[in-house]
Amino acid sequence: EDEECNDVKGTFNIRQIEEDRNCQYVRNQDPSLCNISWRVRNRCKQTCGMCEEHSHEEQMPLEETDVHKHDHSDEHLLMTCDENDALYLEHVDEIQQNCIGVILGTDSECPYECSQPMEVLHLYYGEVCPEREVDDTYGEVSWTGLCHDDSHHQEDEECNDVKGTFNIRQIEEDRNCQYVRNQDPSLCNISWRVRNRCKQTCGMCEEHSHEEQMPLEETDVHKHDHSDEHLLMTCDENDALYLEHVDEIQQNCIGVILGTDSECPYECSQPMEVLHLYYGEVCPEREVDDTYGEVSWTGLCHDDSHH
């Protein structure tokens, strides 16, 4: 909290240009990176004008440019199935940044900045890593039907519920579609994984539009006390409770990032508060999640001042 607002020294990876650069490069060569990369804004505070008090309304708009600056026709073939593949993660970042309006329903058409990485990952999941679990945000965008139908996972398949159990992060348990159908059908509202695996139970077999999507219920999906949740998490990058909170922020803080929410809803502020404590007390050296960073940057939910 007592840190001066300065640019960090040394280079760091900027996924949008696939290179390691420093703040001097951003300042002199490509200041537009302040618009499209939260990591750049966080590390180059002085260069990006982050030292003065700001509001979400003062945020520089994303430029309508293709941040890759290269041909995309075979990009999916350049990716590997490694969970940390840089090019794959870059496309996930772009979907999280540029498809918010599609998920929220404020975009009537799919913007190019969203459709391009969606198309690349559609080919990637279909041709390169068909067994890979699709990214949650990609799944939410696909489910709207506005940008791309995620049909490669269901071509030639009947629309049925999958057999066996699978992990449902929202309730921290492994359950099957019968459980969803008989015990908690509201899970169809709040979990894309449930909708994808329990198509018949969740009524996904008929054609649907984004307008027909059932609204998220304004309930606390954890259903338990949150006061010390951050202490139950570990620094493991695959910690289930940590990932659950990241999922909730991605699902419930869209309006904050987009600027359509004038106040921070509880469904967003609760996981933000837990991760604020987690990053500050449990894993202060951990790289903060991009969506958490974007929400913090608006100043509407929680100031990420521990960094």
Side-chain angles (χ1 to χ4, degrees):
E1 293 178 2
D2 296 324
E3 287 182 321
E4 292 184 13
C5 184
N6 294 319
D7 294 345
V8 299
K9 298 179 180 179
T11 61
F12 56 93
N13 184 262
I14 304 175
R15 288 182 183 163
Q16 283 79 359
I17 60 173
E18 303 175 25
E19 296 177 3
D20 290 347
R21 295 290 186 177
N22 58 20
C23 294
Q24 184 176 359
Y25 171 85
V26 175
R27 183 166 59 253
N28 298 330
Q29 302 296 323
D30 197 352
S32 68
L33 288 169
C34 291
N35 290 350
I36 60 177
S37 171
W38 177 80
R39 286 194 174 94
V40 170
R41 291 196 297 270
N42 194 45
R43 288 168 173 73
C44 305
K45 294 183 175 72
Q46 196 169 56
T47 290
C48 293
M50 302 298 295
C51 299
E52 299 79 17
E53 289 186 6
H54 64 276
S55 67
H56 188 60
E57 290 74 17
E58 294 167 349
Q59 182 176 353
M60 293 178 287
L62 297 181
E63 295 186 6
E64 294 184 359
T65 56
D66 185 341
V67 295
H68 287 291
K69 299 182 179 66
H70 53 76
D71 177 60
H72 308 281
S73 56
D74 291 320
E75 273 194 309
H76 61 291
L77 300 178
L78 301 177
M79 301 178 191
T80 69
C81 294
D82 186 332
E83 64 179 11
N84 295 316
D85 182 86
L87 189 57
Y88 170 80
L89 294 175
E90 176 189 340
H91 282 75
V92 170
D93 280 352
E94 289 185 6
I95 290 171
Q96 291 175 349
Q97 291 172 5
N98 301 325
C99 300
I100 294 172
V102 172
I103 298 173
L104 195 64
T106 56
D107 284 343
S108 58
E109 296 181 357
C110 187
Y112 173 75
E113 295 81 1
C114 175
S115 65
Q116 187 276 320
M118 284 292 296
E119 175 64 23
V120 173
L121 289 196
H122 173 77
L123 295 171
Y124 169 78
Y125 291 129
E127 300 176 12
V128 181
C129 289
E131 301 303 317
R132 180 168 188 163
E133 182 82 15
V134 303
D135 173 72
D136 276 353
T137 309
Y138 172 93
E140 291 290 347
V141 176
S142 293
W143 191 75
T144 68
L146 195 60
C147 292
H148 206 291
D149 177 28
D150 190 26
S151 58
H152 64 271
H153 280 286
Q154 55 205 42
E155 290 173 2
D156 301 324
E157 286 184 23
E158 292 184 11
C159 184
N160 293 318
D161 293 345
V162 299
K163 297 179 180 179
T165 61
F166 55 93
N167 184 261
I168 304 175
R169 288 182 183 162
Q170 283 79 359
I171 59 173
E172 304 175 26
E173 296 177 4
D174 289 347
R175 295 290 186 176
N176 58 19
C177 293
Q178 184 176 0
Y179 171 84
V180 175
R181 183 166 58 252
N182 297 331
Q183 301 295 324
D184 196 352
S186 68
L187 288 169
C188 291
N189 290 352
I190 60 177
S191 172
W192 177 81
R193 285 192 174 95
V194 170
R195 292 196 296 271
N196 195 45
R197 288 167 172 76
C198 306
K199 294 183 176 73
Q200 196 168 55
T201 290
C202 294
M204 302 299 296
C205 299
E206 299 79 18
E207 291 186 6
H208 63 276
S209 65
H210 187 61
E211 289 74 17
E212 294 166 348
Q213 180 176 352
M214 292 179 288
L216 296 180
E217 295 186 6
E218 295 185 359
T219 56
D220 185 342
V221 295
H222 287 290
K223 298 182 179 67
H224 55 75
D225 177 59
H226 307 282
S227 56
D228 292 320
E229 273 194 310
H230 62 291
L231 300 178
L232 302 177
M233 301 178 191
T234 69
C235 293
D236 186 333
E237 64 179 9
N238 295 316
D239 182 85
L241 189 56
Y242 170 80
L243 294 175
E244 176 190 339
H245 282 76
V246 170
D247 278 353
E248 290 186 5
I249 290 172
Q250 291 175 350
Q251 290 173 6
N252 302 325
C253 300
I254 294 171
V256 173
I257 297 173
L258 196 64
T260 56
D261 285 343
S262 59
E263 297 181 357
C264 187
Y266 174 75
E267 295 80 2
C268 175
S269 65
Q270 186 276 320
M272 284 292 295
E273 176 65 23
V274 173
L275 288 197
H276 174 78
L277 295 171
Y278 168 78
Y279 291 129
E281 299 177 12
V282 180
C283 289
E285 301 303 316
R286 180 167 188 163
E287 182 83 14
V288 302
D289 172 72
D290 276 354
T291 309
Y292 172 92
E294 290 290 347
V295 176
S296 294
W297 190 76
T298 68
L300 195 61
C301 292
H302 205 292
D303 177 29
D304 190 26
S305 56
H306 63 270
H307 282 283

